Amino acid sequence: MNAHPTLDTDDTRPAYNYAYLDEQTKRMIRRALLKAVAIPGYQVPFGSREMPLARGWGTGGIQVTAAIIGPADTLKVIDQGADDTTNAVSIRRFFERTADARTTEATGEATIIQTRHRIPEAPLSAGQIMVYQVPQPEPLRKLEPHEAETRKMHAWAEYGLMQVKLYENIARFGEVTTTYDYPVMVNGRYVMAPSPIPKFDNPKMHMSPALQLFGAGREKRIYALPPHTSVRSLDFDDHPFRIQSWSQPCGLCGASDSYLDEVITDDKGGRMFVCSDSHHCETRREAGHRGEMLGDAAALHLVEEIKP
Amino acid sequence: MTVHVSPPDAALDPAPLLSIARVSRFYGERIGCADVSFELWPGEVLGIVGESGSGKSTLLRCLAGIDRPDAGEVLFRGSGQPLDIYSVAEQERRRLMRTAWGIVHQNPRDGLRMDVSAGGNVGERLMDRGDRHYGQIRERALDWLARVEIAGERMDDRPRQFSGGMQQRLQIARVLVSEPKLVFMDEPTGGLDVSVQARLLDLLRVLVRDLGLAAIIVTHDLAVARLLTDRLMVMKDGHVVEQGLTDQVLDDPHHAYTQLLTSAVLSV
Ligand SMILES: Nc1ncnc2c1ncn2[C@@H]1O[C@H](COP(=O)(O)OP(=O)(O)OP(=O)(O)O)[C@@H](O)[C@H]1O
Ligand SMILES: [Mg+2]
Ligand SMILES: [Zn+2]
């Protein structure tokens, strides 16, 4: 990609339209989005387009973002919870180039947050839009391989089999062992795959004031959670859903209520737990929060020591 | 030919559970079953016998909601008005198949989830209807496993680790746990050793009697029919050639084909 996008229609036509997709495709995606918002948790088929990124890189999420982004938007892109991974950087750059988008790492400043793997720790607010990249939109697929059959199961809310899967887990391991893409019941009606976010993030979807959109490029499906929608993780009355917890707080910022990643610090088995939401962790450190390992980490140049 | 048989407890339950009228199903030019009519009363056990290819399984699949007949109707009377199971919405038919009746398949692989534990197999219908208490589901599954003589310690094993007889008994528990009024069985003892067959038959007899179940049992084994059924229907080339009380049909067969069938057994 070397042409810079422009809305000018003077003498040279731009190599591609604003935000890459042509207007007709955007309208098609927006229609699918409107339907998805009207039926929370229902998977709407859409005519997924080829994007100049390999599939599996979140082409579904990118198409959704391309269809809704405008010049006034500020975009944040998260991959593995971080803003600085290759994937996040290339998606951000894509929209900077094709949509003249302002970008940010600050959750509170973003109007659109495209994500893979995480929901930010900072609470979302009304007016913000989450865009999830979804590899497998069908929560029943592993249980029922036939599309015609899963469609009927959703149409008539035949979700007993999903519960059997949870039953099997508890019978074998004493608890439900699913930790990512943990299935949820939306608005008391549709079972939905929340995309590969940790189950830690599931409660953040419940009654969120933000609009949440899900795009699956390869599987050609879009679904949505309008603001203030009930989102319940499936469970049993006597085995209630529980999020992950850690025995120690974040080594860098001391947070005890965020999702932690294990980080290897040296080749002698040294390790520490740190916030997976890198922006959240930095914000806390800037505000003066210090974890027990912050000094060590700074000495190892894993982080810059922030002088409060 | 039509034989009218009074139901066992007609006074208590004055309407048939199933009313079958002129049911036919074809495979292209070939007849699967043709023009079958009969009624089944609550608590009654009906046998369908006939040689291989006579249309027994085809008919059973039509009655159980699996295959839509090309002609005729299947009326099921649950709690209210009789329903034509093929004119109700597919959603309703699927619900009936999961709750109001059950099917025990000849091949356990068609009736069980082979990669789900025995307990999960039995609990599925409870979860289908919305049960969400793990401990209670497990308790009921355990109870049903005991009733079909599967040891509680096998509860978390998968059916592929079970013998053929155990798999059949597991199928039965999986179906009966939701307390249906009606069970369809296609050769439930087929492919089992004689001693295993005898034990399964005993179990079926006790369950059917204790639960007051109505059942339709397809078999080519007249001894099984004699032991389990109140009434018998004899099929040949897709047609019902004779029906009546089991003992009457077996001891005093009218149709030449039935005479052949019964004498074939006697000569063994
Ligand atoms: N799927 C099918 N496609 C074509 N023909 C079929 C099919 N299933 C059954 N038939 C034919 O329909 C007729 C009745 O078959 P059906 O399986 O109902 O017999 P059956 O009495 O159950 O026999 P068996 O005792 O061997 O199980 C046979 O002529 C059979 O070849
Ligand atoms: Mg058969
Ligand atoms: Zn932190």
Side-chain angles (χ1 to χ4, degrees), chain B residues 112-166:
Chain B
L112 294 174
R113 295 192 186 279
M114 297 309 272
D115 48 5
V116 166
S117 68
N121 264 286
V122 178
E124 180 171 348
R125 277 185 166 220
L126 302 177
M127 292 181 251
D128 277 345
R129 72 175 189 200
D131 287 21
R132 292 292 180 266
H133 192 284
Y134 176 83
Q136 284 166 10
I137 292 165
R138 236 175 131 70
E139 209 168 291
R140 292 211 54 192
L142 198 60
D143 178 47
W144 270 100
L145 289 173
R147 291 175 83 160
V148 299
E149 298 166 10
I150 293 175
E153 72 211 39
R154 305 300 304 271
M155 180 175 204
D156 296 327
D157 291 349
R158 305 199 171 173
R160 58 177 96 255
Q161 295 161 268
F162 287 4
S163 69
M166 283 171 82

Side-chain angles (χ1 to χ4, degrees), chain A residues 263-279:
Chain A
V263 176
I264 308 296
T265 52
D266 57 36
D267 53 8
K268 296 188 252 347
R271 56 199 193 117
M272 61 194 285
F273 286 91
V274 300
C275 294
S276 100
D277 182 340
S278 54
H279 178 260

Side-chain angles (χ1 to χ4, degrees), chain A residues 127-145:
Chain A
Q128 289 186 305
I129 303 177
M130 286 289 296
V131 176
Y132 297 81
Q133 301 170 197
V134 182
Q136 176 49 265
E138 180 48 74
L140 303 168
R141 182 59 70 234
K142 272 192 214 134
L143 304 168
E144 171 53 61

Side-chain angles (χ1 to χ4, degrees), chain A residues 16-26 29 49-51 62-67 94 98:
Chain A
Y16 42 79
N17 196 29
Y18 176 78
Y20 188 80
L21 293 175
D22 61 88
E23 291 306 309
Q24 195 186 337
T25 300
K26 286 185 198 167
I29 294 173
R49 293 287 188 270
E50 292 294 331
M51 296 299 283
I62 292 168
Q63 289 177 81
V64 169
T65 299
F94 176 77
T98 63

Side-chain angles (χ1 to χ4, degrees), chain A residues 143 149 152-153 155-156 158-161 163-164 167-168 170-172 235-239, chain B residues 90-91 94 98 113 115-117 119-120 124 127-128 132-135 137-138 155-156 158:
Chain A
L143 304 168
E149 186 62 19
K152 286 179 185 177
M153 291 163 80
W156 302 323
E158 295 176 356
Y159 293 131
L161 192 54
Q163 210 70 27
V164 171
Y167 169 96
E168 288 292 290
I170 300 174
R172 290 186 68 193
D235 61 4
F236 286 97
D237 299 344
D238 50 340
H239 283 262
Chain B
E90 187 182 1
Q91 176 183 15
R94 283 163 70 107
R98 285 196 312 271
R113 295 192 186 279
D115 48 5
V116 166
S117 68
E124 180 171 348
M127 292 181 251
D128 277 345
R132 292 292 180 266
H133 192 284
Y134 176 83
I137 292 165
R138 236 175 131 70
M155 180 175 204
D156 296 327
R158 305 199 171 173

Side-chain angles (χ1 to χ4, degrees), chain A residues 248-254 263-266 270-274 285 290-300 302-303 305:
Chain A
Q248 58 198 97
C250 169
L252 299 180
C253 77
V263 176
I264 308 296
T265 52
D266 57 36
R271 56 199 193 117
M272 61 194 285
F273 286 91
V274 300
R285 294 199 307 269
R290 295 178 58 89
E292 276 184 8
M293 315 265 296
L294 185 57
D296 296 354
L300 290 167
L302 290 173
V303 290
E305 175 116 52

Side-chain angles (χ1 to χ4, degrees), chain B residues 51-58 60-61 106 186-187 218 220:
Chain B
E51 66 188 350
S52 183
S54 58
K56 306 182 295 293
S57 297
T58 301
L60 198 75
R61 294 170 66 82
Q106 175 171 1
D186 196 349
E187 303 275 9
V218 162
H220 63 267

